[in-house]
Amino acid sequence: RAKCNGRNDYAFYTQSLTYESMEHLKLQSALHDAVKQESFYLEYQPKVDCHSQNLSGFEALLRWNDPVLGLISPAVFIPVAEKIGVIQEIGRWVLQQACEQGVKWLSEGKDFVRIAVNVASPQLQRRSFVTEVADILELTGLPAHRLELEVTESCMMFDTQAVARDLVKLSDMGITLSIDDFGTGYSSLNYLKKLPINKLKIDQSFVRDIPIDANNTAIAKAVIALGHSLNLKVIAEGVETAGQAYFLATHGCDEAQGYLYSKPKAASEFDEFFIKQAVAPSLA
Ligand code: C2E
Ligand code: MG
Ligand code: MG
Ligand code: MG
C-alpha cells in the first residue's frame, strides 16, 4: 500500500516509526524469545476472608524479567502477547506453574489454599481451552475445586454460545469462575444471569479512596449488593488501607486482596504468612 502512495511514503514512515513503535517492536521480538527462554516467573498475592481475616487463597501474577529490557509489567506485555498470538503458550505455562505450586502447598498441609489464575480473552476463545485446563489439573494433581479462573468482561463479548458452553464445562468440573476488574469492561450484565459465574472482583479503580470518594463508595456498595442478590461472592482488589478493609467488611464484601495484606511475592516468601495463619486467625 505504501508504494502506491508515492510521496506520501515519507509521511507514512515518519509517522509510524516513532519511538513508541520501535519500543513496541523490541517488545514483540523479546516476547518471542521469552517464551523460548522461559524468562517468566510467578508471584502470588494473598486473598483474605473479610470476616475471619483468614487467608483464603492466592492469585498468581505473571512476571517477566527480560535480560535486556529488564522487568516489564504484565499490564504492558500481556496485551502484546495477545496481539502476536503467544498468549496461549504463556497462559498454559502460567496455569501449570500455578497448579504445581498449589499442589505443593496442599502437600505441605495448607489444605485451605486456593489458587486463582488470570485468563486472557483469546485463551477462552479457543475451543481447546477446557481440555487444556483438564489436562493440566490431571497432570499436576490439583483438585479442580482448588482452582479459580479470573476472566474479564471482554471474554463475554463475542462468540457467546461457544464460550458459554466452555464456561459451563469448567464450572461443572468444580472450578470457580470470577469476573476480574468487574465494572470496567463494556459488556452488558446479561451474561451474569446466563453463565455459571461464582464471583465478582471489584476493580481496584473503584476501591481507591473509599469511603471518602462518594462515587467509588456508591459503586462498591452497589457491586456487593448486585453480587449477593445474584448469589455470587464479591472480592475487592487493590485494598491498601485499614479504612477500605473496614468499610468493605462492614458492607458484606466476602474477600479482599491488596497491599494492606501483602504485595505479590515469590511463593517461598509466604512461610511467615502461613505461620501467622496457624497461630492466630487474624492477619490484619
Ligand atoms: P489483575 O488480575 O486485576 O491483578 C491485579 C493487579 O493489581 C496486579 O498487578 C497486582 O500486583 C496489583 N495490585 C494488587 N494489590 C494492589 C494494591 O493494593 N494496590 C495497587 N495499586 N495495585 C495492587 P500486576 O501484577 O502488575 O498485573 C496487572 C495485570 O496484568 C493483572 O491485573 C492481569 O490483568 C494481568 N496479568 C497478570 N498476570 C497475568 C497472567 O498470568 N495472565 C494474564 N492473562 N494476565 C495477567
Ligand atoms: Mg486478576
Ligand atoms: Mg483484577
Ligand atoms: Mg485490575
Side-chain angles (χ1 to χ4, degrees), residues 259-278:
Y259 297 165
L260 174 66
Y261 307 101
S262 171
K263 291 202 166 187
K265 293 191 287 196
S268 58
E269 287 183 58
F270 284 106
D271 292 347
E272 205 178 319
F273 228 83
F274 285 119
I275 293 164
K276 274 196 225 165
Q277 176 80 16

Side-chain angles (χ1 to χ4, degrees), residues 53-107:
Q53 298 293 311
N54 283 347
L55 180 66
S56 56
F58 289 97
E59 177 177 5
L61 291 157
L62 182 57
R63 300 291 177 252
W64 176 26
N65 199 353
D66 181 78
V68 178
L69 303 173
L71 202 59
I72 301 156
S73 161
V76 172
F77 74 79
I78 293 283
V80 179
E82 291 183 17
K83 213 178 118 211
I84 64 176
V86 293
I87 193 66
Q88 271 79 21
E89 207 178 330
I90 296 174
R92 206 194 136 77
W93 181 86
V94 170
L95 190 63
Q96 180 161 341
Q97 289 287 309
C99 289
E100 278 172 10
Q101 183 58 54
V103 169
K104 186 163 180 282
W105 275 327
L106 290 176
S107 73

Side-chain angles (χ1 to χ4, degrees), residues 202 216-226 247 251:
I202 308 175
N216 280 353
T217 303
I219 291 170
K221 278 160 73 174
V223 174
I224 294 169
L226 172 70
F247 178 88
H251 286 82

